[in-house]
Amino acid sequence: MSHRTLPALLGLTLAACATQQHNTREVLQRVDNRFFRQEQCKPTSTGSLTREQVTGLDELPSALRESVLANLPLQAEGSTERVRCEDVAARLLEKRLHSLCWVEARVTAQPQLSVQLGARYQVGTIIWVTQEKDAKVPPARIIEAAKSALPKDKACTTKTLEKIREQVSKLGSFHQVLVESGPADSEQKQVTLLIDVKETAPAPPKEQAPADPNKK
């Protein structure tokens, strides 16, 4: 297993999985950022787990499996000896799978990571769109475009998410279009899709003028 130190965990990227589609990479990066803001265990190194080190992911395409198993926590901050954070890695892997349509996925870490993917859900009739305050493209057009990209069986898959992203992106020159799975209805086996659209790039932070040493 290979690993590397991470001086800034919120800067995690999935560059090692550059062959993956853009939407999948960006969704996983957002999940990681959210996770490490809340996680009490602060890993100082991460690694990519191999197929032999995790059970239950055989049905995933190899490139996607490599993506969800990349950059998982290995070592904790402040440890006097090597501390493996399997339980933290399990929770992060579970959240990654949830965001990519395996909403029933459960991951345990005793003694190695074991995954139960659960049933695949369909995309429900509700697609939630978040936009900037002064967005030019109305949400109704985005929802219409998203629905036009749904497969006939409405299966919630990473391929579905990518196709929706591509279709919505055609509506304008957006800075970002991100599609991930959101709230789920376990009785109907349906999931709401979340589409985050940003039409403009965020403004760069303003440089603060140096303090005047002569000013009191």
Side-chain angles (χ1 to χ4, degrees):
M1 181 188 308
S2 63
H3 66 275
R4 67 174 185 270
T5 58
L6 288 182
L9 285 170
L10 294 184
L12 282 175
T13 65
L14 298 172
C17 308
T19 57
Q20 279 296 301
Q21 297 289 341
H22 293 296
N23 193 72
T24 296
R25 292 201 312 269
E26 292 171 11
V27 166
L28 293 181
Q29 184 171 338
R30 173 176 285 193
V31 169
D32 288 5
N33 289 343
R34 289 172 178 166
F35 182 84
F36 284 116
R37 287 193 197 102
Q38 301 172 359
E39 185 54 48
Q40 292 182 351
C41 174
K42 302 299 181 185
T44 55
S45 66
T46 66
S48 298
L49 301 184
T50 66
R51 181 173 183 171
E52 291 72 26
Q53 293 167 321
V54 181
T55 62
L57 292 179
D58 289 343
E59 71 178 78
L60 270 64
S62 58
L64 179 58
R65 184 171 58 243
E66 290 174 6
S67 289
V68 298
L69 294 179
N71 297 327
L72 290 171
L74 297 179
Q75 191 170 2
E77 185 178 59
S79 58
T80 56
E81 59 184 31
R82 183 175 178 80
V83 176
R84 296 174 60 83
C85 296
E86 283 95 340
D87 58 332
V88 182
R91 292 198 296 277
L92 177 54
L93 177 57
E94 192 171 278
K95 289 183 180 297
R96 287 178 176 182
L97 292 169
H98 291 173
S99 71
L100 295 174
C101 292
W102 282 276
V103 296
E104 289 188 347
R106 295 294 178 268
V107 184
T108 57
Q110 298 176 356
Q112 62 179 353
L113 294 189
S114 177
V115 182
Q116 291 183 325
L117 288 174
R120 296 305 295 267
Y121 281 31
Q122 289 183 316
V123 176
T125 55
I126 299 175
I127 298 176
W128 188 260
V129 177
T130 59
Q131 295 176 281
E132 296 159 313
K133 183 178 179 181
D134 299 322
K136 297 178 181 178
V137 180
R141 286 190 63 199
I142 294 174
I143 293 174
E144 181 181 357
K147 288 182 177 179
S148 73
L150 285 176
K152 291 183 179 179
D153 60 2
K154 295 186 178 180
C156 187
T157 66
T158 52
K159 186 176 181 179
T160 297
L161 301 184
E162 185 63 37
K163 284 187 173 298
I164 290 175
R165 179 185 187 273
E166 291 175 358
Q167 195 67 20
V168 171
S169 296
K170 294 177 182 179
L171 298 177
S173 300
F174 300 132
H175 173 68
Q176 173 186 288
V177 176
L178 188 66
V179 187
E180 61 184 319
S181 87
D185 183 336
S186 58
E187 292 186 1
Q188 299 294 325
K189 300 295 182 182
Q190 292 184 342
V191 62
T192 298
L193 291 189
L194 307 179
I195 305 177
D196 188 1
V197 179
K198 288 182 172 59
E199 296 186 358
T200 57
K206 294 181 179 180
E207 292 187 5
Q208 193 171 17
D212 186 348
N214 298 319
K215 186 177 181 179
K216 292 185 180 180

